[in-house]
Amino acid sequence: MAAYLIADVDVTDAATFDEYKREVPATEARHGGRYLARGGATQVLEGDWDPHRLVIVEFPDMGALTAWYDSPEYERLKEIRFRSARTRIIAIEGMPPGSR
C-alpha cells in the first residue's frame, strides 16, 4: 500500500537549500519515491495554517519511505536541510486499493 511523505518547509537559507533540492530527488527515486506536489501554489480552505513550501512524495509503501528517510545517503542531506530550513514532516499510509 502506498505511503506519502508530506513536508511543510520554511526555507531560511535559500542558497544552502538549493543544494538539498538538487540532490534529494535522486535519493527518493532510488527508494521508489515520486513527487506528487513540490512547492506549488497553496490555498488554505479551512483552519489556521500558514503553509510555506509544501511537498508530497509518494513511496511504494511505508517501508520504502522509512528506508529512504533513515538511509545513509539521505542522512547527509538531512543535515543540509536542518541548516537551511525549518520543516514539519509526516508520513501517512495510503488506503488499500479498492477501498476508496
Side-chain angles (χ1 to χ4, degrees), residues 37-83:
R38 186 177 183 197
T42 61
Q43 180 180 358
V44 176
L45 300 177
E46 291 186 24
D48 183 18
W49 185 20
D50 184 21
H52 298 91
R53 176 185 170 79
L54 290 180
V55 178
I56 302 172
V57 184
E58 179 183 54
F59 286 87
D61 53 43
M62 191 65 79
L65 189 159
T66 57
W68 164 76
Y69 186 82
D70 295 331
S71 69
E73 64 186 337
Y74 185 56
E75 193 64 34
R76 181 183 68 80
L77 296 177
K78 273 192 244 185
E79 293 302 320
I80 295 169
R81 182 173 49 80
F82 293 154
R83 290 193 319 266

Side-chain angles (χ1 to χ4, degrees), residues 6-10 49-54 86-89:
I6 302 170
D8 183 1
V9 183
D10 182 10
W49 185 20
D50 184 21
H52 298 91
R53 176 185 170 79
L54 290 180
R86 287 186 296 274
T87 54
R88 290 184 216 173
I89 299 176

